[in-house]
Amino acid sequence: MLTIRTIEYFDSVSSTNDRLKELLRQSVPPQLPCLVTARQQTAGRGRGNKVWWSSEGALLLSLGVELSALSLERTHLSLLSLAAGLAALETIRHRLPEENHTALHWPNDVYVDGKKIGGILLESPTPQHLVLGIGINVNNRLTNIPTEFLDEFEKKPITSLIEILEKPTDIPFLIADFCERLSGKINQITTNPAELVQNVERCCLQVGKNLTIHQDHGVIQGYCLGIDQNGSLRLKTPNGTETIQTGIAVWGL
Ligand code: BTN
């Protein structure tokens, strides 16, 4: 069960992930799980050292958890990453009409009608601690995108709930819904991982497509067969079946 024990709310903060890591460094850290949320971030971070658009209206939150308290081990991290993406996807899908197509871009980017709406940044500041950051474009209008993001979003279009629904969504409700769904999926990691993987596979954009994946040590090309029990992508390549793992950013506290 993911019962939140500490909550911090900011009008503005550099990054909720960074604030959580700061809290974990304190001589008396907060009781975990700890949730940090903010109306806006001044230095929001995405995966791959990218800047995350974090203006007012977005859902911006980080959860600090201890692996053992969730009955998880480090071998479960890739599945946790997928579980968080799926929880975010379902939270969004639940608010949208059926004609809007929600999908997961492995490992955990959420797309609606081909445009990115949310993402997850999973960091591991100590072997036992995880900081799971999630950003969803909710009530932030695309007309207010700062100029430094325009080039990036032209290449990779994004969307937000308000652009689709034409009405604002209550962010505290979304946060509660996400946490509840995440709690169920964390449970599934140890009780029924096959079902979790199957649910991810069903909405995964890459499955059944030819992919080119850029890794630190080179490029792999192949046909995506699906996702294995560890949460890795299975690719059929000229050299046989290869698996691609998700990267979890490991940071010193
Ligand atoms: C991605 O798709 O690249 C992941 C984006 C994660 C953004 C969230 S917003 C809340 C938390 N704080 C951050 O600085 N980043 C994450």
Side-chain angles (χ1 to χ4, degrees):
M1 260 297 262
L2 190 70
T3 307
I4 309 294
R5 300 215 179 273
T6 312
I7 296 182
E8 260 199 3
Y9 167 80
F10 292 90
D11 244 3
S12 178
V13 72
S14 57
S15 149
T16 53
N17 268 37
D18 292 345
R19 172 60 185 159
L20 242 165
K21 287 196 263 178
E22 191 178 289
L23 288 172
L24 293 174
R25 276 197 300 267
Q26 287 178 351
S27 51
V28 185
Q31 282 207 314
L32 301 181
C34 171
L35 186 152
V36 175
T37 183
R39 269 179 65 205
Q40 61 173 23
Q41 297 179 130
T42 53
R45 295 185 290 108
R47 285 204 315 277
N49 281 334
K50 288 203 180 137
V51 180
W52 184 257
W53 176 40
S54 305
S55 65
E56 203 183 319
L59 180 156
L60 307 162
L61 81 83
S62 300
L63 274 172
V65 294
E66 206 173 355
L67 272 174
S68 57
L70 302 178
S71 307
L72 296 181
E73 292 172 18
R74 290 195 71 81
T75 49
H76 291 126
L77 287 187
S78 299
L79 283 182
L80 177 64
S81 172
L82 264 54
L86 192 59
L89 178 145
E90 288 178 2
T91 304
I92 293 164
R93 185 166 58 200
H94 189 68
R95 261 99 197 153
L96 292 174
E98 267 183 20
E99 64 260 28
N100 291 110
H101 180 250
T102 43
L104 206 61
H105 189 272
W106 182 91
N108 49 30
D109 287 343
V110 184
Y111 278 68
V112 179
D113 300 334
K115 297 174 183 171
K116 183 164 170 173
I117 194 166
I120 310 273
L121 177 64
L122 185 57
E123 298 181 298
S124 177
T126 77
Q128 257 308 303
H129 291 105
L130 290 180
V131 175
L132 192 149
I134 163 163
I136 301 176
N137 299 322
V138 180
N139 299 322
N140 38 341
R141 285 238 175 235
L142 304 191
T143 40
N144 300 331
I145 293 177
T147 47
E148 71 255 35
F149 291 100
L150 289 179
D151 271 0
E152 183 190 335
F153 295 159
E154 198 165 308
K155 282 184 232 138
K156 283 191 176 176
I158 62 160
T159 190
S160 78
L161 274 181
I162 198 161
E163 298 290 348
I164 304 166
L165 297 172
E166 278 307 328
K167 61 173 189 199
T169 301
D170 186 285
I171 292 182
F173 269 119
L174 273 190
I175 292 178
D177 190 9
F178 169 74
C179 290
E180 200 173 325
R181 289 174 193 275
L182 180 64
S183 179
K185 301 209 183 301
I186 288 174
N187 206 23
Q188 237 183 0
I189 292 175
T190 47
T191 58
N192 196 350
E195 191 181 346
L196 174 67
V197 169
Q198 206 176 50
N199 289 339
V200 172
E201 258 184 347
R202 272 201 205 112
C203 55
C204 177
L205 281 170
Q206 291 100 321
V207 173
K209 303 228 170 78
N210 286 313
L211 307 178
T212 302
I213 297 191
H214 296 265
Q215 295 192 304
D216 292 345
H217 45 274
V219 174
I220 301 186
Q221 286 185 312
Y223 176 81
C224 182
L225 298 166
I227 296 169
D228 75 10
Q229 293 305 297
N230 301 314
S232 301
L233 272 191
R234 292 172 56 236
L235 284 195
K236 188 174 160 198
T237 76
N239 304 325
T241 304
E242 299 208 22
T243 52
I244 315 288
Q245 269 192 296
T246 56
I248 309 291
V250 180
W251 297 73
L253 262 184

